[in-house]
Amino acid sequence: MSDCRRQWNREDELPVYLAGPITTGSNQRKTYGMFSSVEGAFESKTIDFENYAVGRKGSRTPRSGSRERLLDTGDPISKLPSEARESSLNGSPGERDEARSRAEVRFSSGTENLNGKSERLLIKGGRVVNDDQSFYADVYIEDGLIKQVGENLVVPGGVKVIEANGRMVIPGGIDVNTCLMKSYLGTQPVDDFFQGTKAALAGGTTMIIDHVAPQPGDSLLEAFERWQEAADKKACCDYSLHVDIPQWNENVKDELELLVQDKGINSFQVYMAYKDVYQMTDSELYEAFSFLKQLGAVVLVHAENGDLIAQEQRKILGMGITGPEGHPLSRPEELEAEAVFRAITLGNRVNCPVYITKVMSKSAADTITQARRKGSVVFGEPITASLATDGSHYWSKNWAKAAAYVTSPPLSPDQTTPDHLHTLLACGDLQVVGSSHCAYSTSQKAIGKDDFTLIPEGINGVEERMGFVWDKAVTMGKMDENQFVAVTSTNAAKIFNLYPRKGRIAVGSDADIVIWDPDSVKTITAKLQQSAAEYNIFEGLECRGGPVLVLSQGQVVYEEGKLHAQQGTGRFIPRKPFPDYAYQRVKFRNQVKRKQGVTRGIYDGPVYDVAPTPKYITPSPSAKTSPTSHQPPPIRNLHQSNFSLSGAQIDDNIPRRSGHRIVAPPGGRSNITSLG
Amino acid sequence: MSYQGKKNIPKITSDRLLIKGGRIVNDDQSFHADIYMEDGLIKQIGDNLIVPGGVKTIEANGKMVIPGGIDIHTHFQMPYRGTTTVDDFAQGSKAALAGGTTMIVDHVMPEPGASLIEAHDQWRQWADEKACCDYSLHVDITHWNDSVKQEVDNLIKEKGVNSFQVYMAYKDYYQMSNSELYEVFTFLAERGGIAQVHAENGEIIAEEQARMLQMGITGPEGHVLSRPEELEAEAVFRAITIASQTNCPLYVTRVMSKSAADIISQARKKGNVVFGEPITASLGTDGTHYWSKNWAKAASFVTSPPLSPDPTTPDYLNTLLSSGDLSVTGSAHCTFSVAQKAIGKDDFTQIPEGVNGVEERMALIWDKAVTTGKMDENMFVAVTSTNAAKILNLYPRKGRIAVGSDADLVIWDTDAIRTITAKTHNSAAEYNIFEGVELRGAPLVVICQGKIVLEDGNLHATSGVGRFIPCSPFPDFAYKRIKARKQLAVLRAVPRGMYDGPVSEFSMSRGGTPSASARTSPTKQPVRNLHQSGFSLAGNPAPCGPPTPDDIPIRPAGRRIVVPPGGRSNITSLS
């Protein structure tokens, strides 16, 4: 990195991609340096803001039939506006000087611009931290996009300047797991998209991916649109959606295809728990995995063995345990590890990437680690709660407190769990951090006051997520700042195909940026949180590290403890299928894993006569139910044409047979009926 | 070999035997001693024994004398689609004796829906007629309901069966759901039975089989391709999880792959009570033969779970067997003729599953594990005999050379070299999956029920002399730990005041609760009433009022002073 810095210090040798919009024309911008990931997408250095603006405006309009969603995030170029912008910039060299002088004044004109039309911002003197490297550079932002990264940037006038004073400038966090609209028995979580995204922004998270949770029997598409509508109205930050598949049938397939191809969804959750409601059998999972793999989607798995949970719940209720402690007792971590193992096995068989949501226990995390060591394409997502607290609180005498911790899989009562999960997160065995934020009020939780199985499941964590990862992993020396960025933002963007638009500070990326203060200390308490819930499961914990300033879409939304979030500014970010991060390996494996049968002569020995209606059924009757077994497979016909010949052992003039007989096959002689 | 005293006592009446100059090898120690047997029991062990006249004496010449092998897994005379396996109890047990195995444990396979007890009696009848050595029975539970439960109870209490096999494979036929497995395991744990599992994920197998057939793969290679070892490992993992939840000892039959064996050894390291049984085939050969051009040869290797195509598997399993991570060895001897195998000539899913191995088992382990230095002779005895006897609760009657034990002995020749071939084996099958393999180590003399059945290479087995050996429940080897854990694992509720805050409205009508499974639970919460008596007191802002008399035993007043882990004790305050 040091030589890069040296380069930038000499202004005349400023890399072309940094000098971009002002000093050079679009035709000169052929070679790219480290930010080549955006090559071709931003040729003229000027983004088609209108294009995004359409998306933004559109997302506020009510759902209207076949409104076109912006699927192609990589190519938002449109000639007309960019040229206009360029000419205006090039035509006013004087403004450049003005801008500089203003930059030194700091904030002189910034305040008036904050709410004004101009969306230009310059972050000066910060240390840009991406997942791969950290370097000192200024960041210039215009219209919600990062336009320049480098030192001594030439920026137009009227720019608000933010002095970072050497603090870290990191890509805004992406919370991959929130449930802000997941209704339970008719009640909605107290944090809706407004409350939830506000909390997210206050914690340094500038994008959430929420779970669309349709009920069994509901249309996925309708549920998706309901979620999108609600989020468009209320969300304060960009969002995307996972869709949960509550049950598997033929109708679902069509809807999934539509969601992937037209709606910009590339991740779907299936459940291995919640027997008789969401749970899928292994066969259904196999089919779902196969189908989603064809679509290029990422399969999210809620991994717990629902059958056993149902049995354990019955047993524990039968023992008279009805309080929240019954929740972890009936869902021991072994059941989580078992389901994770099974999900990974399925993923391996289908050759499909598997993403385990909510890794809550050491054994589940270890199972993922081992599978990755064997080469499985599997991702693990610990959540704020499993990283910062443990399940001992389920035994609290305070019912409301104990119930507040109820989530599935439950927090592990093993107090060494958070530490272990942080270690795995730091070494890359677990990849992303979510929060699974799903806040219910105490009165909602009290639905299960006499029966722990009825307690609505959900905990908070969207606001505390980044802080705790910093506090427990980075300040402890387990993780460096780059890995911190990777697990809180970049990996999520890669897995869900948002990269490099999100998850990176680079020219052309969205201006979702956080200035991070590694030393600020705050005590978590429900009194000061943004969430509407009355409790906070991290109550009283001290957390070192937090955002000083949060930019979402190029706007300052959080500054010095003050939140300026605006309802409805969040855009839906569509995602394309086949994310490279998950699918590249899968594609190659597909090519390698072509199975071939053995070409043999036909068996011509005696065959035991089996009654047509077998009294004793074959031990593999499952094949009989398969639709293919009744019709003779294609190759068989080929063999059958040889049938008359196979009886003649010495007849070697059939080239196929004679050839085979010469070669000694692996493991035995080739004569078809002789016994080795 | 010579007779002491009068030399012309006919063999038939000679129930007295003396083995002189042998080295007795048990699972715990080896020592030089003579053994005197009478009436099928070992009567004396030691040097310079005083024995009555007319005793046949066998000179062991310093060779090893080991407890006769116990083959814990056979399928003799198993009915299959109107035919039966070619080795019936006579043929099969003869092969067993020829290999140094003096007891077999066969699997009773009732058809789904059929009575377990009737099937058991049928097997007993077949075996009593024909078996040449002592035998015992496992009963397979092929379906599950209350009447089966009754029958299992009956079998344990009255019929001397203590081990039951359940299936995680064979979808729509034998396969059981996780819930059923949970119930079976719970029941067996109560009654002191051993839960054996056939561990493979049947649902995925069904999908894979359909896929293979669709791809046009119909030969025996489709068998192994549709049953990759991952599915075995997955099912083993799941079975261990269920067993650990239900606190039931688990026995995994037929460990065929490295990954399945690894899962077992990991679980044992974590303290699970689980036993793994590799079989002769998985210890002696591998699954590359499924790709043989010779259909009959390839088909003869078909068994489930399949042999792993990884050629390092046998070595690995032998290592785990030596280290004690795998506990016992069986053979899963289940032989079909080529004509029977050919039922599946156009569709691998129809090939009857089964391999031979009862005769080769002991020699193969000796050759692969002891002569290679992985295992010592004591461990050899443990895995071929003693551990099986312990699991079945037959120890020390079987599996040990001790005074009072059954006179099932083998004089083992460590240096004999034999080449396995179907021409000379004792099974009725036309093929042998170990064809051409050279094995070092063989039984020299086999004594079963105090009678010499193998001597100078001649087999003198008599059909019908085999006795049924009843197994009693709660074998210490498996259940001692289980019992201790049961006492520890008593779950207790947290005594709390009643929640008296607001409760938001909710509708139960919509079938959408994530925990709907609980609603189907038949149990109402009995203890709740106890708590409800404290209801009026819970409103106190101070920590709940004085305990009601009911509460005293579980919630002493003293405990409330202590700050509970993780929070204050006021029921409604939010910390």
Side-chain angles (χ1 to χ4, degrees):
Chain A
M1 208 48 247
S2 54
D3 48 352
C4 284
R5 285 204 58 195
R6 243 179 284 123
Q7 271 194 351
W8 296 342
N9 288 342
R10 281 170 283 155
E11 204 178 351
D12 48 342
E13 281 180 37
L14 200 66
V16 280
Y17 54 84
L18 296 179
I22 297 108
T23 54
T24 57
S26 58
N27 54 342
Q28 282 174 269
R29 316 207 54 265
K30 287 278 194 263
T31 55
Y32 281 79
M34 69 189 99
F35 298 127
S36 56
S37 50
V38 292
E39 180 172 8
F42 309 100
E43 276 158 17
S44 61
K45 266 289 187 166
T46 312
I47 308 301
D48 172 17
F49 318 104
E50 263 58 45
N51 204 347
Y52 279 127
V54 166
R56 192 155 41 211
K57 268 181 246 148
S59 56
R60 288 201 203 98
T61 59
R63 200 98 295 98
S64 57
S66 64
R67 184 164 52 72
E68 188 186 309
R69 285 264 160 198
L70 181 66
L71 272 168
D72 192 352
T73 59
D75 189 27
I77 309 291
S78 153
K79 274 281 156 342
L80 284 175
S82 69
E83 273 165 12
R85 175 80 54 187
E86 216 165 76
S87 63
S88 79
L89 290 176
N90 288 336
S92 57
E95 224 175 275
R96 277 165 58 190
D97 299 328
E98 269 177 43
R100 273 216 200 136
S101 60
R102 263 182 228 166
E104 270 140 33
V105 181
R106 295 206 314 171
F107 292 99
S108 63
S109 62
T111 38
E112 61 196 44
N113 282 339
L114 183 62
N115 299 321
K117 241 188 87 187
S118 164
E119 295 176 344
R120 296 172 183 175
L121 267 174
L122 181 67
I123 301 174
K124 265 188 94 79
R127 194 155 52 88
V128 174
V129 179
N130 275 325
D131 68 319
D132 53 348
Q133 58 179 358
S134 313
F135 52 91
Y136 284 92
D138 298 345
V139 181
Y140 173 65
I141 296 152
E142 202 178 302
D143 294 317
L145 293 174
I146 297 171
K147 294 285 169 162
Q148 298 178 56
V149 178
E151 290 187 30
N152 304 317
L153 299 180
V154 181
V155 295
V159 167
K160 176 181 171 177
V161 178
I162 297 163
E163 282 292 345
N165 290 325
R167 275 187 292 226
M168 290 167 57
V169 178
I170 59 173
I174 300 175
D175 189 337
V176 284
N177 187 349
T178 63
C179 298
L180 301 177
M181 244 179 88
K182 185 177 187 173
S183 66
Y184 175 79
L185 296 178
T187 71
Q188 292 278 337
V190 291
D191 283 343
D192 59 4
F193 275 104
F194 178 55
Q195 289 290 346
T197 51
K198 249 171 59 184
L201 289 171
T205 297
T206 54
M207 175 167 183
I208 59 157
I209 310 184
D210 201 72
H211 277 273
V212 176
Q215 292 302 325
D218 288 1
S219 152
L220 298 188
L221 220 55
E222 279 167 25
F224 164 75
E225 285 179 350
R226 224 168 51 234
W227 252 258
Q228 202 184 30
E229 193 177 356
D232 280 342
K233 271 190 208 136
K234 291 182 176 170
C236 312
C237 67
D238 287 352
Y239 71 95
S240 193
L241 296 170
H242 305 296
V243 176
D244 295 4
I245 306 176
Q247 65 185 44
W248 187 252
N249 55 41
E250 288 302 312
N251 304 344
V252 168
K253 283 187 179 176
D254 297 336
E255 293 195 314
L256 290 178
E257 213 166 332
L258 211 70
L259 284 168
V260 170
Q261 264 138 37
D262 298 345
K263 301 290 181 184
I265 302 290
N266 74 358
S267 49
F268 298 91
Q269 171 151 318
V270 294
Y271 290 89
M272 298 172 83
Y274 305 118
K275 194 180 179 193
D276 301 332
V277 187
Y278 301 135
Q279 187 177 326
M280 288 190 194
T281 65
D282 289 355
S283 302
E284 286 168 340
L285 289 171
Y286 186 96
E287 280 172 33
F289 280 37
S290 308
F291 188 76
L292 291 173
K293 176 199 168 186
Q294 280 170 19
L295 295 178
V298 178
V299 185
L300 316 183
V301 182
H302 177 113
E304 276 185 297
N305 189 318
D307 287 340
L308 299 191
I309 290 171
Q311 294 277 358
E312 293 281 329
Q313 283 179 335
R314 197 176 311 160
K315 187 176 95 185
I316 281 168
L317 285 173
M319 292 166 77
I321 298 177
T322 58
E325 69 276 13
H327 184 71
L329 290 176
S330 63
R331 302 177 105 104
E333 67 174 76
E334 282 179 293
L335 304 193
E336 188 190 349
E338 189 280 316
V340 169
F341 195 94
R342 189 147 41 99
I344 292 171
T345 306
L346 278 157
N348 285 348
R349 286 326 300 159
V350 178
N351 189 21
C352 160
V354 175
Y355 178 103
I356 309 289
T357 58
K358 295 199 257 194
V359 175
M360 304 299 278
S361 66
K362 282 161 91 167
S363 38
D366 285 343
T367 306
I368 293 172
T369 305
Q370 280 166 22
R372 286 178 65 86
R373 221 163 276 159
K374 286 183 192 151
S376 306
V377 183
V378 54
F379 305 107
E381 169 209 282
I383 62 171
T384 321
S386 61
L387 289 169
T389 182
D390 59 61
S392 55
H393 304 285
Y394 290 118
W395 280 265
S396 165
K397 296 268 184 189
N398 178 341
W399 189 91
K401 183 181 169 106
Y405 288 83
V406 170
T407 186
S408 284
L411 288 156
S412 167
D414 179 349
Q415 305 196 342
T416 61
T417 304
D419 211 40
H420 188 77
L421 293 182
H422 275 293
T423 307
L424 294 185
L425 201 56
C427 75
D429 280 345
L430 299 173
Q431 289 73 38
V432 280
V433 182
S435 69
S436 185
H437 188 91
C438 182
Y440 290 104
S441 68
T442 301
S443 64
Q444 286 173 318
K445 290 267 181 186
I447 291 169
K449 70 188 168 66
D450 297 327
D451 179 350
F452 65 87
T453 64
L454 294 177
I455 300 174
E457 293 169 354
I459 45 173
N460 63 306
V462 70
E463 185 175 353
E464 298 82 3
R465 189 179 67 100
M466 308 263 291
F468 274 119
V469 176
W470 185 270
D471 180 72
K472 305 248 175 203
V474 185
T475 62
M476 302 304 283
K478 282 180 195 258
M479 192 187 271
D480 60 23
E481 55 191 24
N482 302 101
Q483 181 71 2
F484 171 72
V485 169
V487 299
T488 55
S489 176
T490 312
N491 288 350
K494 285 179 177 169
I495 292 172
F496 296 111
N497 226 354
L498 295 163
Y499 189 80
R501 179 175 176 187
K502 301 280 184 191
R504 186 169 184 89
I505 295 183
V507 174
S509 299
D510 278 2
D512 289 352
I513 293 176
V514 172
I515 299 182
W516 189 259
D517 182 357
D519 298 318
S520 75
V521 177
K522 82 171 177 180
T523 306
I524 309 287
T525 164
K527 291 182 193 82
L528 298 176
Q529 72 184 3
Q530 296 294 332
S531 161
E534 321 87 308
Y535 57 81
N536 188 312
I537 59 166
F538 310 107
E539 188 75 35
L541 290 179
E542 258 191 19
C543 180
R544 177 180 291 262
V548 189
L549 183 132
V550 179
L551 290 180
S552 170
Q553 301 175 24
Q555 305 272 5
V556 177
V557 290
Y558 178 84
E559 195 179 1
E560 310 283 338
K562 278 188 222 85
L563 205 58
H564 315 290
Q566 254 186 320
Q567 202 168 164
T569 52
R571 302 166 298 182
F572 174 76
I573 310 287
R575 294 172 288 138
K576 286 199 283 191
F578 292 107
D580 271 353
Y581 194 65
Y583 266 94
Q584 223 163 40
R585 283 175 287 172
V586 166
K587 280 177 193 161
F588 279 103
R589 285 176 200 188
N590 269 347
Q591 288 164 10
V592 175
K593 274 193 179 172
R594 291 269 151 75
K595 277 169 189 147
Q596 290 217 317
V598 176
T599 40
R600 293 189 181 86
I602 191 84
Y603 173 84
D604 58 354
V607 179
Y608 186 85
D609 219 10
V610 191
T613 47
K615 187 179 160 203
Y616 298 101
I617 311 164
T618 162
S620 11
S622 46
K624 283 186 296 170
T625 64
S626 94
T628 51
S629 60
H630 295 299
Q631 40 194 274
I635 287 186
R636 209 64 235 175
N637 293 331
L638 189 110
H639 283 294
Q640 272 162 357
S641 70
N642 283 341
F643 183 75
S644 58
L645 301 163
S646 59
Q649 292 292 325
I650 309 140
D651 189 0
D652 276 348
N653 53 3
I654 311 302
R656 212 179 113 267
R657 287 208 49 151
S658 62
H660 280 298
R661 212 171 298 131
I662 292 162
V663 181
R669 271 150 266 161
S670 61
N671 190 345
I672 188 70
T673 45
S674 83
L675 297 163
Chain B
M1 220 141 290
S2 66
Y3 287 95
Q4 237 181 26
K6 288 173 239 169
K7 297 213 167 173
N8 42 0
I9 286 175
K11 220 186 228 168
I12 283 294
T13 59
S14 142
D15 266 354
R16 297 167 178 181
L17 268 173
L18 179 68
I19 298 177
K20 268 186 90 82
R23 193 157 53 89
I24 296 176
V25 179
N26 275 326
D27 69 320
D28 54 348
Q29 60 175 359
S30 312
F31 54 95
H32 287 273
D34 300 344
I35 306 166
Y36 173 65
M37 286 163 275
E38 204 178 303
D39 298 323
L41 293 178
I42 296 170
K43 293 286 178 179
Q44 293 180 58
I45 292 175
D47 292 332
N48 307 316
L49 299 177
I50 300 166
V51 295
V55 168
K56 181 177 175 180
T57 305
I58 302 167
E59 284 292 341
N61 293 325
K63 290 211 162 62
M64 284 169 57
V65 182
I66 58 174
I70 300 175
D71 189 335
I72 197 161
H73 188 162
T74 64
H75 294 274
F76 294 154
Q77 215 168 332
M78 187 185 83
Y80 174 80
R81 294 174 81 172
T83 168
T84 50
T85 54
V86 291
D87 284 332
D88 60 7
F89 276 97
Q91 197 75 38
S93 54
K94 246 166 71 182
L97 288 170
T101 296
T102 54
M103 175 171 181
I104 55 131
V105 189
D106 204 74
H107 276 271
V108 176
M109 295 266 285
E111 286 305 308
S115 154
L116 264 55
I117 289 181
E118 276 171 28
H120 171 264
D121 293 345
Q122 177 67 63
W123 254 259
R124 278 289 302 274
Q125 193 194 331
W126 286 336
D128 282 338
E129 273 167 19
K130 291 184 172 172
C132 312
C133 66
D134 288 351
Y135 71 95
S136 193
L137 294 171
H138 306 293
V139 175
D140 294 4
I141 302 177
T142 46
H143 62 294
W144 185 247
N145 54 38
D146 282 340
S147 75
V148 173
K149 214 170 173 175
Q150 277 305 313
E151 290 193 314
V152 170
D153 199 29
N154 199 289
L155 285 166
I156 292 176
K157 284 187 180 136
E158 286 160 27
K159 302 281 187 175
V161 175
N162 77 352
S163 44
F164 297 86
Q165 172 157 315
V166 291
Y167 290 85
M168 299 170 82
Y170 306 118
K171 192 184 175 190
D172 302 330
Y173 195 49
Y174 298 142
Q175 186 176 325
M176 286 201 190
S177 70
N178 292 336
S179 307
E180 286 170 329
L181 290 173
Y182 185 97
E183 283 172 22
V184 174
F185 286 16
T186 309
F187 185 74
L188 289 177
E190 270 170 35
R191 302 302 149 104
I194 303 275
Q196 300 190 314
V197 285
H198 176 115
E200 278 185 295
N201 188 318
E203 303 215 357
I204 307 183
I205 288 172
E207 300 278 348
E208 293 275 312
Q209 282 180 335
R211 196 164 67 94
M212 290 301 146
L213 289 172
Q214 210 160 26
M215 288 165 75
I217 298 176
T218 57
E221 69 277 10
H223 180 73
V224 63
L225 289 175
S226 63
R227 302 177 105 103
E229 67 176 78
E230 280 175 288
L231 305 191
E232 188 190 349
E234 188 281 317
V236 170
F237 196 99
R238 188 149 41 101
I240 289 171
T241 306
I242 300 173
S244 139
Q245 279 313 300
T246 51
N247 200 16
C248 174
L250 182 74
Y251 179 105
V252 180
T253 59
R254 290 197 263 206
V255 175
M256 304 299 277
S257 66
K258 284 161 92 166
S259 38
D262 277 340
I263 300 284
I264 292 173
S265 72
Q266 275 167 28
R268 286 174 69 89
K269 260 164 226 153
K270 286 186 196 148
N272 294 81
V273 182
V274 53
F275 307 104
E277 169 211 277
I279 63 169
T280 321
S282 61
L283 291 167
T285 183
D286 59 57
T288 53
H289 305 286
Y290 291 118
W291 280 268
S292 167
K293 296 272 183 190
N294 180 341
W295 189 91
K297 184 183 168 108
S300 71
F301 285 84
V302 169
T303 186
S304 284
L307 288 157
S308 167
D310 178 351
T312 61
T313 304
D315 207 45
Y316 193 80
L317 294 182
N318 276 299
T319 307
L320 290 187
L321 197 58
S322 314
S323 69
D325 281 348
L326 298 174
S327 314
V328 285
T329 54
S331 67
H333 189 90
C334 179
T335 44
F336 290 100
S337 68
V338 174
Q340 286 170 322
K341 289 268 183 187
I343 292 169
K345 72 186 169 62
D346 298 327
D347 178 352
F348 66 86
T349 64
Q350 305 293 318
I351 301 173
E353 294 169 353
V355 289
N356 64 306
V358 70
E359 187 174 355
E360 298 80 7
R361 189 177 64 102
M362 306 268 288
L364 199 125
I365 294 166
W366 186 268
D367 182 79
K368 301 264 176 192
V370 186
T371 62
T372 56
K374 283 179 195 274
M375 192 186 271
D376 60 24
E377 55 195 24
N378 303 101
M379 195 63 185
F380 173 74
V381 169
V383 299
T384 55
S385 175
T386 312
N387 288 350
K390 285 179 177 171
I391 288 172
L392 294 167
N393 221 356
L394 297 172
Y395 186 82
R397 179 178 176 186
K398 301 279 184 190
R400 186 170 185 87
I401 298 179
V403 174
S405 299
D406 278 3
D408 290 350
L409 303 177
V410 172
I411 300 182
W412 191 256
D413 184 350
T414 55
D415 299 319
I417 293 179
R418 265 192 316 170
T419 305
I420 307 289
T421 164
K423 292 183 192 80
T424 57
H425 71 191
N426 284 285
S427 160
E430 310 103 301
Y431 57 83
N432 190 312
I433 59 166
F434 307 104
E435 189 75 35
V437 173
E438 235 185 36
L439 293 183
R440 178 184 292 261
L444 195 66
V445 177
V446 177
I447 296 163
C448 182
Q449 298 178 17
K451 295 192 179 64
I452 298 174
V453 291
L454 179 80
E455 194 183 14
D456 305 327
N458 300 319
L459 204 57
H460 317 288
T462 322
S463 222
V465 299
R467 302 163 297 181
F468 174 75
I469 312 286
C471 307
S472 51
F474 294 108
D476 274 351
F477 193 59
Y479 267 91
K480 253 188 187 157
R481 286 175 285 170
I482 297 284
K483 281 177 192 161
R485 288 175 199 187
K486 242 176 215 161
Q487 287 164 4
L488 274 182
V490 177
L491 302 177
R492 287 204 180 80
V494 176
R496 291 189 182 90
M498 191 72 188
Y499 174 84
D500 57 355
V503 179
S504 52
E505 292 193 1
F506 60 99
S507 57
M508 281 295 241
S509 53
R510 190 86 176 82
T513 163
S515 13
S517 46
R519 282 180 299 153
T520 62
S521 106
T523 49
K524 281 284 160 226
Q525 309 87 38
V527 168
R528 205 67 231 174
N529 296 330
L530 185 116
H531 282 293
Q532 270 160 356
S533 67
F535 181 76
S536 57
L537 302 161
N540 267 331
C544 325
T548 58
D550 286 348
D551 279 348
I552 286 168
I554 51 165
R555 185 172 52 164
R559 199 182 294 167
R560 207 170 305 124
I561 297 162
V562 183
V563 177
R568 274 150 265 158
S569 60
N570 190 346
I571 188 70
T572 45
S573 84
L574 298 162
S575 46

